[in-house]
Amino acid sequence: MNYLVKPYILVLAVQLSILPQTVQAQDEGFIYGKITMEDGDVYQGALRWGKEEVYWTDMFNASKTENSNLDYLSRRDIDELRYQKRGWDDRVTTWVSSNWSGRDRNFIHQFSCMFGEIKTIRPSRWDEVMVTLQDGTEIEVDGDGYNDIGNKIKVLDDEIGRIELSWNRIEEIEFRDTPKKLEEKFGDPLFGTVKTSIGEFTGFVQWDHDERVTTDKLDGDTYDGDVSIAFGKIKSIENRGSRSLVTLMSGRELELRGSNDVNSGNRGIIVTVAGLGRIDIPWRDFDSVEFVENPTNSGPAYSSFGKNRKLAGTVNTTNGDLKGEIIFDLDEAYDFEVLNGRDDDIEYVIPFGNIQEIKPRGYRSSEVTLRDGSSLRLERSQDVSEDNTGLLVFDGNEPTYVVWEEIERIQFD
């Protein structure tokens, strides 16, 4: 059953229209910065991670290298979590071996934040990286399972133009305020309304997890030959199962097939929506998208980020109420970090700053209420199910550890 509240769809569009002009005017939503190479060469301009991330609202993903929050747990708590995570090996009736330390891979989580939260990225040995946030917080991460570390970075240098830099020669990436008007950019934003099996979402669009600016191309076959069409020329795309009906801004229609851009091989359509987060829509739930021609909104500026707060609130448990700072799932401690969950096959990535409360609903799902009062029933994720490793609530000098099955409601301040 889908629990997306229908009035919420209208709120999303309104939120996007009333964002202050100071954070969405012209080109300020594109990633911009200075890259210093190991030999001292410097390049500055608009940045793009490979053929993907290009906006401050795009997600930087990596793996944390340790989890110091485990230090607050007893050995018994750890053993119970290992049982929950890894189970009993019936063949040898012993625990699966695991090191007792903050580097136990069972309890090390993904690190995700929007690029706008980051001040610098400094590659170090192997694929480890030191990420410094705008508030000075340092987090060591690595690229285990993620391509944001080790990927080539494209720079539209202010003097020499386009250059693609190899990750292994980068000394430091320093993010900076983007000029209101870039002399050169990777393209204009893809912005539009996506219709799905559960409703409509309006925001910035990523097609097939890759294409997200007007100069990116949609590939497909017609009866007369192959085509590669710049997204800036496309008005709408409609799902026709194993093919797509593509309507151009001119009104011309093409039926395309034979490419994962236009059939069930598509990896998903992502929409970034103000006040919510990112919605990843699989092909089977996608109906159509209609793009806005010549959008002037490139998203929040770099100066809009960096105001992160620690998670705090009230946790209602079966043993009473706790109030204080919260570490969620023994991992997320700040409001810029994200909660993951699914409504059927539609995946949500929601910054905690957009969440008002979370109520576990049985073992497999939770009801998530957003700041605007809208609710989602999410499942199939560690964050919202019995796989959650629990909360630390700092209601005094020492935190109280609360296992997931004892939580009735979490209300964030």
Side-chain angles (χ1 to χ4, degrees):
M1 182 179 294
N2 294 316
Y3 287 78
L4 181 63
V5 179
K6 294 300 181 182
Y8 179 65
I9 305 298
L10 298 177
V11 173
L12 300 180
V14 172
Q15 286 177 325
L16 286 164
S17 66
I18 64 174
L19 284 174
Q21 289 299 310
T22 55
V23 300
Q24 69 170 353
Q26 300 182 51
D27 298 330
E28 292 178 288
F30 291 108
I31 300 173
Y32 187 91
K34 181 180 77 171
I35 298 182
T36 303
M37 309 301 287
E38 60 184 14
D39 58 6
D41 288 340
V42 174
Y43 303 91
Q44 179 169 306
L47 307 180
R48 187 172 189 179
W49 255 244
K51 56 183 294 189
E52 299 180 5
E53 293 84 2
V54 71
Y55 305 106
W56 292 123
T57 53
D58 283 337
M59 302 299 295
F60 176 82
N61 296 304
S63 176
K64 295 180 180 179
T65 58
E66 62 180 8
N67 188 349
S68 60
N69 297 315
L70 298 179
D71 295 341
Y72 294 113
L73 271 60
S74 69
R75 183 59 182 265
R76 180 178 179 179
D77 291 333
I78 290 289
D79 284 344
E80 289 179 355
L81 283 176
R82 285 179 179 158
Y83 180 79
Q84 172 185 324
K85 281 286 190 181
R86 306 173 74 167
W88 189 265
D89 189 335
D90 294 327
R91 294 170 300 175
V92 293
T93 63
T94 58
W95 290 110
V96 179
S97 62
S98 179
N99 294 326
W100 166 247
S101 73
R103 288 181 176 267
D104 189 327
R105 298 304 298 184
N106 281 300
F107 307 118
I108 294 176
H109 294 232
Q110 176 181 351
F111 173 75
S112 294
C113 75
M114 287 180 278
F115 273 84
E117 299 291 350
I118 303 173
K119 180 179 180 181
T120 61
I121 296 174
R122 291 184 62 88
S124 57
R125 56 188 175 87
W126 303 103
D127 64 347
E128 291 185 357
V129 168
M130 182 61 71
V131 174
T132 302
L133 303 179
Q134 284 205 46
D135 68 355
T137 302
E138 293 185 339
I139 302 172
E140 188 176 63
V141 298
D142 62 40
D144 186 18
Y146 305 96
N147 69 352
D148 287 340
I149 293 176
N151 206 345
K152 291 186 176 181
I153 300 178
K154 296 175 182 176
V155 186
L156 296 179
D157 185 81
D158 295 336
E159 291 185 307
I160 67 173
R162 185 179 300 237
I163 185 171
E164 189 171 275
L165 303 177
S166 296
W167 182 270
N168 59 8
R169 287 182 45 79
I170 293 174
E171 180 74 21
E172 182 183 65
I173 304 166
E174 178 186 351
F175 297 106
R176 297 184 168 187
D177 289 321
T178 310
K180 290 184 178 180
K181 191 65 178 175
L182 291 168
E183 292 186 10
E184 186 177 3
K185 54 187 176 182
F186 294 101
D188 289 319
L190 288 185
F191 188 92
T193 297
V194 177
K195 295 182 179 179
T196 77
S197 59
I198 65 168
E200 299 180 3
F201 299 97
T202 296
F204 296 94
V205 178
Q206 292 174 219
W207 188 262
D208 190 29
H209 284 203
D210 276 340
E211 295 85 6
R212 62 195 75 191
V213 291
T214 53
T215 55
D216 290 337
K217 301 293 183 66
L218 179 82
D219 299 318
D221 302 339
T222 70
Y223 287 115
D224 300 318
D226 301 346
V227 296
S228 187
I229 308 170
F231 272 87
K233 297 181 179 179
I234 298 174
K235 180 177 179 60
S236 65
I237 304 171
E238 182 181 335
N239 182 352
R240 294 288 180 89
S242 61
R243 61 195 67 192
S244 294
L245 177 65
V246 178
T247 302
L248 305 184
M249 291 294 181
S250 65
R252 184 177 182 180
E253 293 185 346
L254 298 168
E255 192 170 76
L256 302 184
R257 62 185 63 77
S259 162
N260 66 318
D261 274 349
V262 293
N263 62 25
S264 58
N266 190 299
R267 290 171 294 177
I269 295 90
I270 297 174
V271 190
T272 300
V273 179
L276 174 54
R278 293 160 62 86
I279 307 99
D280 192 345
I281 303 153
W283 186 256
R284 74 171 190 165
D285 291 300
F286 166 74
D287 293 332
S288 65
V289 58
E290 183 168 350
F291 295 108
V292 173
E293 188 174 9
N294 300 320
T296 58
N297 173 10
S298 61
Y302 186 58
S303 59
S304 302
F305 298 87
K307 303 173 179 63
N308 49 291
R309 300 185 307 157
K310 288 188 175 181
L311 296 180
T314 301
V315 180
N316 306 124
T317 79
T318 55
N319 298 314
D321 297 344
L322 299 168
K323 185 175 178 60
E325 292 184 356
I326 296 170
I327 295 179
F328 184 87
D329 193 22
L330 289 181
D331 179 54
E332 290 87 9
Y334 294 91
D335 62 357
F336 67 80
E337 298 188 87
V338 298
L339 178 138
N340 299 86
R342 291 177 180 267
D343 180 351
D344 198 4
D345 285 332
I346 295 179
E347 182 177 3
Y348 291 79
V349 179
I350 308 174
F352 277 92
N354 293 338
I355 298 174
Q356 182 66 58
E357 69 174 31
I358 301 171
K359 291 182 181 178
R361 296 300 190 194
Y363 292 109
R364 297 183 179 180
S365 67
S366 294
E367 182 180 351
V368 178
T369 301
L370 304 180
R371 296 286 180 183
D372 66 1
S374 304
S375 295
L376 298 161
R377 183 72 170 261
L378 300 181
E379 58 183 6
R380 295 171 58 190
S381 161
Q382 177 169 314
D383 283 342
V384 295
S385 73
E386 62 181 339
D387 292 332
N388 191 298
T389 53
L391 273 62
L392 290 171
V393 184
F394 291 79
D395 56 343
N397 293 329
E398 292 294 326
T400 300
Y401 174 54
V402 185
V403 296
W404 186 252
E405 54 264 33
E406 294 178 354
I407 297 171
E408 295 180 343
R409 180 170 64 171
I410 306 165
Q411 296 174 283
F412 294 105
D413 290 342

